[in-house]
Amino acid sequence: MAVKAEIDFQKELFEAANKMRGSVAPADYKHYVLPLIFLRYLSNKYEQSCNELEQIFAENEEMQQGFVSDSHQYRDKNVFVVPKEASWHYIMKNAKQPNIKEILDNAMKRIEEENPELTGVLPQIYQGLNLPVENVAGLIEIFSRDVFSGSSEDSIDILGRTYEYFISSFASSEGNRGGEFFTPSCIVELLVEMLEPKRGIVFDPACGSGGMFIQSGRYAPNKKSLLFYGQENVVTTVRLGKMNVLLHGINAEIRLGDSLLNDQFPELKADYVIANPPFNQKDWGADRISKSDPRLIGPVTNSNANYMWMQHFLYHLNDAGSAGFVMANGAMTTNVKEEKEVRKILVDEGYIDCVVQLPEKLFFTTGIPCCLFFLSKNRDGKNGYRARRNKILFIDARKMGKPVSRKQKALSKEEIDKIASVYRAFKYEHAKSCENIEGFCKIAKLEEVQQNDYKLTPSMYVGTEAEEEEEDIPFEQKIAELTKRLLEQFEESNKLQEKIKQNLEELMYRNGEKSNLVFKREKNE
């Protein structure tokens, strides 16, 4: 099966960036591009729905006019009403008019007036844009191309992909925070395939562009059987997430705020927590977390927020819930006192269900190697799940993934299915028992993990099909082995020094005895 790049419309986006160069700061490109794409999507969906109604009532003009003008006909299908003066056709027709910026702002305003649920989502910012009219017309021409039509399944998260492109390519400081806004679709698909959200509450406390919700909605047989809740700390990203979920007919409540320091859903208990939190946050405000915070199962440290995120996820699970999330590789082996203590608690209390080590270069915006953690509260053998509280499934997928560019890899559908099927076999009582596969997966008992100093790196447990190349060994494991080897060599060196010193002393002693004998003999003669 062919593996597709995360973004296959760079040329058009680069053209759009060139239209704004010199008039707009590179970090702000996305703020002007995304609303235009969203506006076109809304217009396309509304026009398509109008055409369907016109065809249904083609033989009765009076009924046709009545149904086409009835806003409830569209809302029932999660389609937003787009007034004529806000339609993409109208905007294209007037793209070269001197008041096109005013037309765009008015289009945003009119759509919000017709659809109150979009209030605050569509920004009216184009009249304040220091961009020549002909450049604005050029942007409209670019986003009128088929690649931005939103008509195919491949464009399911085109807003998120566009956002990723701009934060990674045009020097925005937002793009340097470990991929927190956008998770590559193959990782999202893998998380969803492993968690299997079919009904209940889905919670993403670092929801970014909303890609986790979109993929979960696609997985469920009936997306209305899922309720979505999300939190995000950046205003513009909250707006993007709302655009994305509304575009795909998903009702998600997304709130603004710092999830760790200002939890907007303190009472929420979810069936599924799915997230890609920002990696390795330092100075995140640990001193503001009360020792009586109900989320805490262990200590926190300001040097890294990774294990505070884990405690946050665990707290928000209901009694049978599961959490799957992206995490930096360092979390698997960290020896920072507070982090290691929480990791030990998660292992000893039987919460860690599975750890997947991923290939490098999956993220478009960061080279940080990452893994997937799965925490679960359904490991006691009830409700159709296999009893597995004293076991952890380790999967080493580092050798998977195919290059889609010089800088990026992607997991194929077959690879995603292979990983997910192993996890299902591990979870369910009715499934065929999961088998250990040398070099790929292993079910380890807690005792083995405890004996390995609670380290959770899959490659330590699954073994290898053949001798590993040095470059395939995780940095954390490699540095630990090198440190151990160096200390052993220091110890050997010290022993050798002592032996040499002892030999020298003995030699000096013997030479001294010999000198005394010679002195006595010469004196007697």
mmCIF file of all heavy atoms in Angstrom, residues 344-368:
data_model
loop_
_atom_site.group_PDB
_atom_site.id
_atom_site.type_symbol
_atom_site.label_atom_id
_atom_site.label_comp_id
_atom_site.label_asym_id
_atom_site.label_seq_id
_atom_site.Cartn_x
_atom_site.Cartn_y
_atom_site.Cartn_z
ATOM 1 N N LYS A 344 7.086 4.398 38.717
ATOM 2 C CA LYS A 344 7.018 3.201 39.560
ATOM 3 C C LYS A 344 5.593 2.959 40.058
ATOM 4 O O LYS A 344 5.109 1.824 40.053
ATOM 5 C CB LYS A 344 7.966 3.352 40.752
ATOM 6 C CG LYS A 344 9.446 3.255 40.391
ATOM 7 C CD LYS A 344 10.347 3.538 41.582
ATOM 8 C CE LYS A 344 10.215 2.479 42.651
ATOM 9 N NZ LYS A 344 11.157 2.705 43.784
ATOM 10 N N ILE A 345 4.910 4.035 40.431
ATOM 11 C CA ILE A 345 3.536 3.898 40.910
ATOM 12 C C ILE A 345 2.630 3.399 39.786
ATOM 13 O O ILE A 345 1.794 2.499 39.994
ATOM 14 C CB ILE A 345 3.022 5.242 41.469
ATOM 15 C CG1 ILE A 345 3.794 5.617 42.733
ATOM 16 C CG2 ILE A 345 1.521 5.170 41.763
ATOM 17 C CD1 ILE A 345 3.524 7.029 43.231
ATOM 18 N N LEU A 346 2.809 3.957 38.591
ATOM 19 C CA LEU A 346 1.990 3.535 37.450
ATOM 20 C C LEU A 346 2.201 2.058 37.129
ATOM 21 O O LEU A 346 1.255 1.349 36.765
ATOM 22 C CB LEU A 346 2.317 4.387 36.221
ATOM 23 C CG LEU A 346 1.881 5.858 36.266
ATOM 24 C CD1 LEU A 346 2.437 6.622 35.070
ATOM 25 C CD2 LEU A 346 0.359 5.972 36.300
ATOM 26 N N VAL A 347 3.435 1.585 37.278
ATOM 27 C CA VAL A 347 3.735 0.170 37.035
ATOM 28 C C VAL A 347 3.196 -0.696 38.171
ATOM 29 O O VAL A 347 2.457 -1.664 37.951
ATOM 30 C CB VAL A 347 5.255 -0.047 36.871
ATOM 31 C CG1 VAL A 347 5.580 -1.545 36.846
ATOM 32 C CG2 VAL A 347 5.765 0.615 35.595
ATOM 33 N N ASP A 348 3.530 -0.341 39.400
ATOM 34 C CA ASP A 348 3.151 -1.159 40.555
ATOM 35 C C ASP A 348 1.642 -1.251 40.746
ATOM 36 O O ASP A 348 1.124 -2.293 41.163
ATOM 37 C CB ASP A 348 3.791 -0.595 41.835
ATOM 38 C CG ASP A 348 5.308 -0.772 41.860
ATOM 39 O OD1 ASP A 348 5.808 -1.649 41.122
ATOM 40 O OD2 ASP A 348 5.983 -0.040 42.609
ATOM 41 N N GLU A 349 0.943 -0.156 40.437
ATOM 42 C CA GLU A 349 -0.511 -0.140 40.604
ATOM 43 C C GLU A 349 -1.243 -0.730 39.400
ATOM 44 O O GLU A 349 -2.477 -0.795 39.382
ATOM 45 C CB GLU A 349 -0.994 1.290 40.853
ATOM 46 C CG GLU A 349 -0.499 1.905 42.147
ATOM 47 C CD GLU A 349 -0.981 1.150 43.373
ATOM 48 O OE1 GLU A 349 -2.160 0.726 43.369
ATOM 49 O OE2 GLU A 349 -0.191 0.963 44.315
ATOM 50 N N GLY A 350 -0.507 -1.138 38.395
ATOM 51 C CA GLY A 350 -1.101 -1.842 37.268
ATOM 52 C C GLY A 350 -1.832 -0.978 36.271
ATOM 53 O O GLY A 350 -2.751 -1.439 35.600
ATOM 54 N N TYR A 351 -1.433 0.300 36.128
ATOM 55 C CA TYR A 351 -2.103 1.195 35.184
ATOM 56 C C TYR A 351 -1.512 1.154 33.779
ATOM 57 O O TYR A 351 -2.205 1.407 32.804
ATOM 58 C CB TYR A 351 -2.057 2.637 35.694
ATOM 59 C CG TYR A 351 -2.925 2.888 36.900
ATOM 60 C CD1 TYR A 351 -2.383 3.389 38.087
ATOM 61 C CD2 TYR A 351 -4.292 2.626 36.869
ATOM 62 C CE1 TYR A 351 -3.175 3.631 39.194
ATOM 63 C CE2 TYR A 351 -5.094 2.858 37.983
ATOM 64 C CZ TYR A 351 -4.527 3.362 39.139
ATOM 65 O OH TYR A 351 -5.328 3.593 40.237
ATOM 66 N N ILE A 352 -0.217 0.858 33.653
ATOM 67 C CA ILE A 352 0.407 0.883 32.335
ATOM 68 C C ILE A 352 0.046 -0.386 31.576
ATOM 69 O O ILE A 352 0.339 -1.503 32.003
ATOM 70 C CB ILE A 352 1.935 1.048 32.441
ATOM 71 C CG1 ILE A 352 2.244 2.424 33.023
ATOM 72 C CG2 ILE A 352 2.593 0.882 31.076
ATOM 73 C CD1 ILE A 352 3.712 2.762 33.112
ATOM 74 N N ASP A 353 -0.592 -0.196 30.444
ATOM 75 C CA ASP A 353 -1.120 -1.315 29.665
ATOM 76 C C ASP A 353 -0.192 -1.687 28.520
ATOM 77 O O ASP A 353 0.032 -2.863 28.242
ATOM 78 C CB ASP A 353 -2.498 -0.930 29.115
ATOM 79 C CG ASP A 353 -3.372 -2.134 28.819
ATOM 80 O OD1 ASP A 353 -3.188 -3.172 29.474
ATOM 81 O OD2 ASP A 353 -4.262 -2.022 27.963
ATOM 82 N N CYS A 354 0.337 -0.665 27.837
ATOM 83 C CA CYS A 354 1.138 -0.920 26.637
ATOM 84 C C CYS A 354 2.044 0.268 26.362
ATOM 85 O O CYS A 354 1.677 1.414 26.644
ATOM 86 C CB CYS A 354 0.197 -1.158 25.442
ATOM 87 S SG CYS A 354 1.015 -1.403 23.851
ATOM 88 N N VAL A 355 3.220 -0.006 25.821
ATOM 89 C CA VAL A 355 4.147 1.040 25.368
ATOM 90 C C VAL A 355 4.609 0.669 23.965
ATOM 91 O O VAL A 355 5.017 -0.468 23.719
ATOM 92 C CB VAL A 355 5.367 1.187 26.302
ATOM 93 C CG1 VAL A 355 6.284 2.309 25.810
ATOM 94 C CG2 VAL A 355 4.923 1.457 27.747
ATOM 95 N N VAL A 356 4.515 1.629 23.050
ATOM 96 C CA VAL A 356 4.922 1.407 21.655
ATOM 97 C C VAL A 356 6.057 2.362 21.311
ATOM 98 O O VAL A 356 5.914 3.579 21.442
ATOM 99 C CB VAL A 356 3.751 1.653 20.675
ATOM 100 C CG1 VAL A 356 4.195 1.365 19.240
ATOM 101 C CG2 VAL A 356 2.544 0.805 21.043
ATOM 102 N N GLN A 357 7.170 1.804 20.904
ATOM 103 C CA GLN A 357 8.305 2.620 20.467
ATOM 104 C C GLN A 357 8.170 2.874 18.971
ATOM 105 O O GLN A 357 8.081 1.937 18.173
ATOM 106 C CB GLN A 357 9.609 1.878 20.780
ATOM 107 C CG GLN A 357 10.831 2.770 20.903
ATOM 108 C CD GLN A 357 11.994 2.030 21.540
ATOM 109 O OE1 GLN A 357 11.862 0.890 21.973
ATOM 110 N NE2 GLN A 357 13.151 2.666 21.587
ATOM 111 N N LEU A 358 8.108 4.150 18.567
ATOM 112 C CA LEU A 358 7.823 4.514 17.182
ATOM 113 C C LEU A 358 9.085 4.786 16.383
ATOM 114 O O LEU A 358 10.146 5.086 16.946
ATOM 115 C CB LEU A 358 6.930 5.760 17.154
ATOM 116 C CG LEU A 358 5.510 5.592 17.719
ATOM 117 C CD1 LEU A 358 4.809 6.934 17.781
ATOM 118 C CD2 LEU A 358 4.708 4.604 16.886
ATOM 119 N N PRO A 359 8.994 4.747 15.050
ATOM 120 C CA PRO A 359 10.136 5.104 14.215
ATOM 121 C C PRO A 359 10.437 6.593 14.331
ATOM 122 O O PRO A 359 9.596 7.391 14.766
ATOM 123 C CB PRO A 359 9.676 4.763 12.783
ATOM 124 C CG PRO A 359 8.314 4.218 12.881
ATOM 125 C CD PRO A 359 7.833 4.328 14.272
ATOM 126 N N GLU A 360 11.618 6.978 13.920
ATOM 127 C CA GLU A 360 11.975 8.400 13.906
ATOM 128 C C GLU A 360 11.345 9.075 12.684
ATOM 129 O O GLU A 360 10.799 8.423 11.800
ATOM 130 C CB GLU A 360 13.501 8.552 13.846
ATOM 131 C CG GLU A 360 14.116 7.948 12.594
ATOM 132 C CD GLU A 360 15.614 8.144 12.520
ATOM 133 O OE1 GLU A 360 16.187 8.777 13.419
ATOM 134 O OE2 GLU A 360 16.221 7.676 11.538
ATOM 135 N N LYS A 361 11.383 10.390 12.676
ATOM 136 C CA LYS A 361 10.977 11.229 11.541
ATOM 137 C C LYS A 361 9.489 11.146 11.198
ATOM 138 O O LYS A 361 9.103 11.408 10.067
ATOM 139 C CB LYS A 361 11.796 10.892 10.284
ATOM 140 C CG LYS A 361 13.284 11.162 10.412
ATOM 141 C CD LYS A 361 13.997 10.844 9.113
ATOM 142 C CE LYS A 361 15.495 11.136 9.215
ATOM 143 N NZ LYS A 361 16.187 10.829 7.941
ATOM 144 N N LEU A 362 8.642 10.816 12.164
ATOM 145 C CA LEU A 362 7.215 10.803 11.877
ATOM 146 C C LEU A 362 6.614 12.206 11.926
ATOM 147 O O LEU A 362 5.636 12.488 11.249
ATOM 148 C CB LEU A 362 6.467 9.895 12.863
ATOM 149 C CG LEU A 362 6.732 8.393 12.752
ATOM 150 C CD1 LEU A 362 5.881 7.634 13.770
ATOM 151 C CD2 LEU A 362 6.444 7.877 11.342
ATOM 152 N N PHE A 363 7.220 13.074 12.746
ATOM 153 C CA PHE A 363 6.713 14.433 12.876
ATOM 154 C C PHE A 363 7.349 15.347 11.839
ATOM 155 O O PHE A 363 8.547 15.278 11.587
ATOM 156 C CB PHE A 363 6.990 14.990 14.276
ATOM 157 C CG PHE A 363 6.005 14.534 15.307
ATOM 158 C CD1 PHE A 363 6.176 13.321 15.945
ATOM 159 C CD2 PHE A 363 4.907 15.303 15.622
ATOM 160 C CE1 PHE A 363 5.270 12.884 16.895
ATOM 161 C CE2 PHE A 363 3.992 14.880 16.572
ATOM 162 C CZ PHE A 363 4.173 13.671 17.213
ATOM 163 N N PHE A 364 6.526 16.214 11.272
ATOM 164 C CA PHE A 364 7.001 17.172 10.278
ATOM 165 C C PHE A 364 7.699 18.344 10.940
ATOM 166 O O PHE A 364 8.557 18.980 10.361
ATOM 167 C CB PHE A 364 5.810 17.678 9.452
ATOM 168 C CG PHE A 364 6.188 18.425 8.209
ATOM 169 C CD1 PHE A 364 6.703 17.757 7.112
ATOM 170 C CD2 PHE A 364 6.025 19.798 8.124
ATOM 171 C CE1 PHE A 364 7.048 18.440 5.954
ATOM 172 C CE2 PHE A 364 6.366 20.493 6.974
ATOM 173 C CZ PHE A 364 6.879 19.807 5.881
ATOM 174 N N THR A 365 7.331 18.649 12.208
ATOM 175 C CA THR A 365 7.825 19.854 12.860
ATOM 176 C C THR A 365 8.938 19.620 13.865
ATOM 177 O O THR A 365 9.527 20.573 14.351
ATOM 178 C CB THR A 365 6.667 20.549 13.596
ATOM 179 O OG1 THR A 365 6.046 19.598 14.460
ATOM 180 C CG2 THR A 365 5.656 21.098 12.621
ATOM 181 N N THR A 366 9.208 18.387 14.243
ATOM 182 C CA THR A 366 10.236 18.145 15.251
ATOM 183 C C THR A 366 10.919 16.807 15.007
ATOM 184 O O THR A 366 10.289 15.859 14.547
ATOM 185 C CB THR A 366 9.642 18.173 16.672
ATOM 186 O OG1 THR A 366 10.667 17.876 17.620
ATOM 187 C CG2 THR A 366 8.521 17.163 16.824
ATOM 188 N N GLY A 367 12.193 16.735 15.338
ATOM 189 C CA GLY A 367 12.924 15.488 15.194
ATOM 190 C C GLY A 367 12.962 14.684 16.471
ATOM 191 O O GLY A 367 13.639 13.651 16.537
ATOM 192 N N ILE A 368 12.257 15.144 17.518
ATOM 193 C CA ILE A 368 12.281 14.439 18.791
ATOM 194 C C ILE A 368 11.689 13.040 18.615
ATOM 195 O O ILE A 368 10.549 12.906 18.160
ATOM 196 C CB ILE A 368 11.456 15.196 19.858
ATOM 197 C CG1 ILE A 368 12.051 16.584 20.109
ATOM 198 C CG2 ILE A 368 11.407 14.407 21.169
ATOM 199 C CD1 ILE A 368 11.219 17.442 21.036
#
